[in-house]
């Protein structure tokens, strides 16, 4: 099924996934777009839908982006986030 999205989504292969640093834990980023991200959250307890989180995304080249996001969906260990604020990736 083809889904239309507001923002282009970048899906990362396992070996190249950025990390989401949240509560001093390193969580792999499955995919990311200008509007949100999906992270692998294999810790417990899982966040709740509607929770607001502040975290940092660390890319392979060590560039970082601070994010504020709302948890919108949880499916197994996949947690979907919608960013509260836009972010800028700088090379």
């Amino acid at each position: 099924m083809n889904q239309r999205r507001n923002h282009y989504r970048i899906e990362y292969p396992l070996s190249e996934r950025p990390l989401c640093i949240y509560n001093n834990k390193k969580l792999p980023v499955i995919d990311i777009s200008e509007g949100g991200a999906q992270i692998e959250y294999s810790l417990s307890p899982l966040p709740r839908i509607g929770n607001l989180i502040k975290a940092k995304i660390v890319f392979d080249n060590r560039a970082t982006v601070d994010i504020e996001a709302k948890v919108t969906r949880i499916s197994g260990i996949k947690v979907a986030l919608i960013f509260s604020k836009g972010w800028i990736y700088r090379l």
Side-chain angles (χ1 to χ4, degrees), residues 37-56:
Q38 186 171 208
I39 60 172
E40 187 178 306
Y41 201 102
S42 57
L43 308 171
S44 72
L46 284 169
R48 294 176 182 241
I49 293 175
N51 280 12
L52 296 175
I53 68 165
K54 291 184 179 183
K56 182 179 300 249

Side-chain angles (χ1 to χ4, degrees), residues 66-81:
D66 292 317
I67 62 163
E68 292 182 17
K70 181 177 178 182
V71 177
T72 59
R73 187 178 70 253
I74 299 171
S75 178
I77 62 170
K78 294 179 181 178
V79 175
L81 305 172

Side-chain angles (χ1 to χ4, degrees), residues 9 12-13 15 38 44 48 51 61-63 82 86 91:
R9 183 173 303 267
Y12 292 96
S15 63
Q38 186 171 208
S44 72
R48 294 176 182 241
N51 280 12
N61 67 354
R62 308 261 191 264
I82 296 293
L91 297 175

Side-chain angles (χ1 to χ4, degrees), residues 2 4-6 31 39 48 52-53 57 59 64 71:
N2 190 7
R4 294 187 57 137
R5 299 188 180 273
N6 291 333
D31 60 51
I39 60 172
R48 294 176 182 241
L52 296 175
I53 68 165
I57 306 249
F59 294 91
T64 63
V71 177

